[in-house]
Amino acid sequence: MEQEQVWIQQALGGNQEAYTRLVEAYQTPVYNLAYRMLGNAQEAEDAAQEAFIRAYTRLRTYDPTRKFASWLLSIASHYCIDRLRRRRFNLISLEELPPWQGVVSDRLQPEERLIENQKRDAVQALLAALPPHYRASVILHYWYDFSYKEIAEMMDLTESAIKSRLHRAREMLVQAAAQADEDKKPIVAGAAQAVPGGMGR
Amino acid sequence: MMSKMRATKPCPQFSEQMSLAMDHQLSAMEERELREHLRACDACQSQWDMLQQIERLFATAPLIGPPAGFAARVSARLAERESRQQILFGVFSLMVGAVILGLVALASLGEIVPSLYLVVTTPAAWRGLAVVMELLSLAESVLNALWLAAVAYVRSPGTMICATYSFVVLVLTALWLHVLTSRLLRPVPVSRQV
């Protein structure tokens, strides 16, 4: 944490090398957020890069009493939400987007890779059923273990609004899964076979 | 023993409770109530099971990292953005400079305009301008008359004879004047005066 603050101070002084260290430290959380939000490797790369650039230009507004990760992921989620809204205005459907690529490790065995692909597709199919703001709340809650309060601060909302959104989002996720079951294209059931038992993280 | 409820949709009052239960936000009593309800209601139990499956799926989905070289690509994009901003700043500075120069020029005009106004509003200035205009008009008439005379002279049939005759007369007159003046102005020798 101390090293992180040193890098932030150095980056504020114009040291881009120090900022590169910060990018290396947080590239996976930011890229994962962009990927889960946008559901596409190319867009995720572009959005994650843009989030880091926005963070660099707003570094003076960062409050050191807050967690840097929360501040950075807040910028990334707002940017992804805007991007999803623009995508809706531009009438780009999910089918028009490039196929999934480059995110499942090449080190995996073919069978493991197949399972990972199934799980990844199932997760993204479920997330795609959520509106942008709900999707961001769900991702921040499940992948980063942020509390209601932390998510509320990141999304500029109240805790009760986040609680309500997570509840509504869960209802939508269940509906999407049930609809897929009715259409004989089960999302969760197929992927769940590959998932070991146990509750949550 | 409670009899099983045959609802097709989960009960709204327990739907939110299920979400809170997933996040361990219920009190022990609320949890007990929910468990009892789930045992009695098929629709809510089915929703609960699905929520559990989704929870497990999300919980085991890993963080996905970017392809190799991501940090370098961010640095390159940052450098490109900064150089573009510097160019924009340069153009903006030039524009601001041009605007300031324009404002200075306008301020100078502001000083000249009142003086011009004083001159223009003096009656003598307008009379002087009328006299100048009349003189210019007169000069134009004289020049027109001279031009017409010259054209008429050049176009007349005996122009060459007249011109040659005039030239000869002028030359002979000049010679005669030269001879006359040289004799009249020649100094008388001192010895002869004595």
Side-chain angles (χ1 to χ4, degrees):
Chain A
M1 191 62 84
E2 275 183 16
Q3 181 61 58
E4 179 185 287
Q5 290 302 322
V6 171
W7 285 335
I8 292 167
Q9 288 306 316
Q10 287 174 339
L12 277 169
N15 184 344
Q16 285 200 8
E17 196 60 37
Y19 192 67
T20 304
R21 298 283 88 78
L22 281 170
V23 174
E24 283 167 352
Y26 286 101
Q27 59 184 350
T28 299
V30 171
Y31 182 86
N32 180 69
L33 175 78
Y35 187 84
R36 299 293 178 195
M37 285 291 289
L38 303 168
N40 165 285
Q42 281 157 312
E43 275 199 281
E45 164 91 20
D46 188 53
Q49 282 186 18
E50 185 59 31
F52 276 113
I53 284 165
R54 287 182 178 208
Y56 183 77
T57 55
R58 296 176 195 170
L59 205 51
R60 290 194 188 283
T61 67
Y62 165 63
D63 173 7
T65 58
R66 278 182 72 187
K67 277 199 279 185
F68 184 71
S70 309
W71 181 76
L72 184 59
L73 290 169
S74 168
I75 292 174
S77 34
H78 282 293
Y79 178 68
C80 289
I81 289 168
D82 286 346
R83 206 167 164 131
L84 283 169
R85 284 178 176 158
R86 281 204 303 273
R87 186 197 282 178
R88 195 166 48 182
F89 283 126
N90 291 339
L91 297 172
I92 298 172
S93 70
L94 280 173
E95 287 73 23
E96 290 169 12
L97 293 169
W100 307 94
Q101 53 184 353
V103 288
V104 175
S105 172
D106 292 337
R107 285 170 294 180
L108 295 175
Q109 295 299 313
E111 196 182 334
E112 289 174 321
R113 204 182 300 171
L114 184 70
I115 292 167
E116 281 302 312
N117 281 341
Q118 271 184 340
K119 274 170 60 180
R120 184 203 55 206
D121 289 350
V123 169
Q124 290 309 134
L126 287 171
L127 290 174
L130 301 175
H133 265 108
Y134 288 62
R135 201 181 301 181
S137 302
V138 165
I139 293 167
L140 291 171
H141 181 67
Y142 279 103
W143 274 270
Y144 303 93
D145 285 334
F146 285 125
S147 65
Y148 291 158
K149 190 178 174 206
E150 285 171 312
I151 299 173
E153 280 176 5
M154 292 164 79
M155 306 289 291
D156 302 321
L157 291 166
T158 60
E159 265 187 76
S160 61
I162 294 300
K163 210 180 283 184
S164 165
R165 277 189 183 192
L166 282 172
H167 164 228
R168 281 287 302 130
R170 283 176 170 132
E171 281 186 339
M172 289 178 194
L173 291 170
V174 169
Q175 278 168 15
Q179 187 61 50
D181 284 349
E182 273 181 31
D183 298 342
K184 308 286 180 206
K185 293 175 186 171
I187 299 175
V188 179
Q193 288 169 2
V195 175
M199 272 289 292
R201 279 159 207 283
Chain B
M1 192 82 177
M2 291 173 76
S3 60
K4 277 266 180 188
M5 291 160 75
R6 289 283 172 198
T8 51
K9 280 187 175 180
C11 309
Q13 68 271 33
F14 283 101
S15 183
E16 189 168 0
Q17 297 292 90
M18 280 189 255
S19 180
L20 291 171
M22 303 293 289
D23 297 332
H24 313 290
Q25 297 286 314
L26 293 184
S27 65
M29 200 173 81
E30 287 169 327
E31 255 192 67
R32 198 166 49 249
E33 273 176 18
L34 177 63
R35 269 203 305 273
E36 281 173 11
H37 176 74
L38 292 178
R39 273 199 296 272
C41 178
D42 280 344
C44 285
Q45 180 64 55
S46 162
Q47 168 129 342
W48 178 252
D49 291 343
M50 189 64 92
L51 277 172
Q52 299 275 2
Q53 286 187 47
I54 292 169
E55 178 92 2
R56 276 198 292 275
L57 183 64
F58 283 179
T60 53
L63 284 177
I64 295 171
F70 177 81
R73 290 194 293 280
V74 172
S75 295
R77 190 160 162 179
L78 200 55
E80 186 196 334
R81 179 83 53 108
E82 288 203 330
S83 101
R84 205 164 52 222
Q85 276 175 350
Q86 278 170 359
I87 291 169
L88 281 174
F89 182 73
V91 170
F92 178 72
S93 304
L94 277 175
M95 284 173 73
V96 168
V99 168
I100 289 170
L101 278 176
L103 288 174
V104 169
L106 276 176
S108 309
L109 269 180
E111 286 176 9
I112 291 167
V113 166
S115 311
L116 279 174
Y117 178 75
L118 280 175
V119 171
V120 165
T121 50
T122 309
W126 289 104
R127 281 201 296 276
L129 188 65
V131 169
V132 169
M133 294 303 287
E134 278 175 20
L135 281 173
L136 284 175
S137 173
L138 187 65
E140 188 196 2
S141 305
V142 169
L143 285 173
N144 273 339
L146 284 172
W147 175 249
L148 283 172
V151 170
Y153 180 74
V154 169
R155 286 184 183 169
S156 63
T159 299
M160 286 307 292
I161 298 163
C162 285
T164 312
Y165 175 74
S166 302
F167 181 72
V168 170
V169 167
L170 276 171
V171 169
L172 287 174
T173 308
L175 278 172
W176 178 72
L177 281 172
H178 178 70
V179 170
L180 189 67
T181 50
S182 62
R183 282 196 179 182
L184 283 173
L185 297 174
R186 186 183 294 160
V188 179
V190 176
S191 56
R192 285 185 67 180
Q193 281 180 343
V194 173

